[in-house]
Amino acid sequence: MITVIPMAREHIAALAQLEKECFSAPWSENALMEELSNPNAVFRVALKNGQVAGYVGMLHVLDEGDICNVAVFSQFRRQGIASALLQSLLDYAKEQKMALITLEVRESNQGAQAFYRTMGFEFVGLRKNFYDKPREHGVLMSRSVEE
Ligand SMILES: CC(C)(COP(=O)(O)OP(=O)(O)OC[C@H]1O[C@@H](n2cnc3c(N)ncnc32)[C@H](O)[C@@H]1OP(=O)(O)O)[C@@H](O)C(=O)NCCC(=O)NCCS
């Protein structure tokens, strides 16, 4: 069973490990910890049978959200975990009467782009050399909250 709950201190070590496994510039435990006291941060964790399986993070500013983190441990992928996480952000965005959600993703990360399209996100444009390690363009995607 998948449950989605707010990120808490007890999840931080596992999530920093997940960041290391997924990204060349991973968020540290401290960086994640800081979001616990950021009033604009909406971070959620998915548990599968009680185990930390993945997480999502969004910054909420005025009526817009920018998704800054989405990651699922490889052994839990293709089981609907990221979909459940993103759906929980969309539910939050509706409750908060937000208008738009945006995100950036590496141009080469076709899997994540396919995932975001299944969640209603569309290509908006390229952010030239947005990423380092390796240097790469960012694909900007967005979706309106009410669809
Ligand atoms: C991208 C990621 C978060 C998807 O997580 P997930 O839990 O496997 O996603 P879901 O199971 O909810 O996928 C839902 C649908 O999205 C699409 N999808 C997901 N991953 C995909 C992939 N690698 N390739 C193509 N389509 C994919 C599929 O349509 C999938 O449905 P299906 O499994 O029935 O075919 C996960 O692969 C991940 O953590 N990747 C590494 C970190 C990363 O790249 N994060 C994004 C940074 S911007």
Side-chain angles (χ1 to χ4, degrees), residues 18 22-23 70-73 76-84 103-106 109-112 114-116 118 131:
L18 174 60
C22 291
F23 304 117
V70 184
V72 172
F73 279 106
F76 290 112
R77 288 182 193 158
R78 304 306 284 263
Q79 298 173 35
I81 304 259
S83 302
L103 60 87
E104 291 88 13
V105 50
R106 281 184 182 271
N109 193 346
Q110 295 291 328
F115 162 65
Y116 293 130
T118 69
Y131 292 100

Side-chain angles (χ1 to χ4, degrees), residues 94 97-99 143-147:
K94 267 187 200 156
K97 303 200 179 338
M98 291 167 67
R143 66 157 276 173
S144 58
V145 172
E146 291 296 344
E147 287 203 340

Side-chain angles (χ1 to χ4, degrees), residues 65-67 100-106 109-127 138-144:
D66 186 46
I67 294 178
L100 187 75
I101 300 184
T102 58
L103 60 87
E104 291 88 13
V105 50
R106 281 184 182 271
N109 193 346
Q110 295 291 328
Q113 288 171 45
F115 162 65
Y116 293 130
R117 280 195 296 274
T118 69
M119 297 300 295
F121 285 80
E122 290 176 350
F123 176 88
V124 177
L126 275 189
R127 293 202 154 155
V139 170
L140 177 64
M141 301 180 83
S142 77
R143 66 157 276 173
S144 58

